[in-house]
Amino acid sequence: MFKGLGGLGDMAGMMKKAQEIQSKMGEMQDELHNIMVVGEAGAGLVKATASAKGDLKSLDIDPSIFNGDDKEVVEDLILAAVKDAQAKAAERAQDEMTKLSEGLGLPKDMKLPF
């Protein structure tokens, strides 16, 4: 039935695969909102929790660091914890995308989303 279509039979398969990838990517994007990572600074005195999408969700600061003379140190620790959480979020998101691409039989080095 498809003899005269040449590569169009393969095209249908590719389109189906593309739709599957798009569906899985949508699911993964939703999941990334629910995966939480924790960044720390000052040996855990400041902790920032973020979703794997990089959205800051909470900040936990040990009260022992509150001293009027140490304002700049506290600010630096907060920034460091937030940056650590964001870096971990990006790494976790990439790990999840790699799992997805491998599960779909895509090349390991293929970057998702496209």
Side-chain angles (χ1 to χ4, degrees):
M1 179 168 133
F2 292 111
K3 270 187 176 179
L5 296 178
L8 291 180
D10 292 335
M11 181 63 85
M14 287 174 43
M15 291 299 293
K16 184 177 181 181
K17 189 70 156 180
Q19 288 174 338
E20 181 182 348
I21 291 170
Q22 185 177 16
S23 174
K24 296 280 187 185
M25 285 294 298
E27 291 171 14
M28 178 59 62
Q29 293 296 323
D30 290 341
E31 286 180 35
L32 292 178
H33 285 289
N34 297 321
I35 297 172
M36 296 296 147
V37 295
V38 178
E40 297 184 9
L45 292 174
V46 177
K47 296 177 185 174
T49 302
S51 72
K53 291 287 286 182
D55 299 326
L56 186 62
K57 297 295 183 179
S58 68
L59 192 60
D60 181 35
I61 303 171
D62 189 297
S64 68
I65 66 171
F66 290 110
N67 179 343
D69 298 334
D70 296 332
K71 179 182 180 298
E72 290 178 9
V73 172
V74 172
E75 291 170 346
D76 289 343
L77 290 174
I78 291 169
L79 286 175
V82 170
K83 286 180 182 179
D84 188 39
Q86 289 172 329
K88 288 179 179 177
E91 182 179 331
R92 181 66 186 269
Q94 186 58 48
D95 289 346
E96 294 297 322
M97 291 298 170
T98 299
K99 288 181 199 174
L100 174 64
S101 65
E102 289 173 354
L104 293 172
L106 299 172
K108 188 174 184 173
D109 60 346
M110 185 172 197
K111 297 289 184 200
L112 293 175
F114 304 104

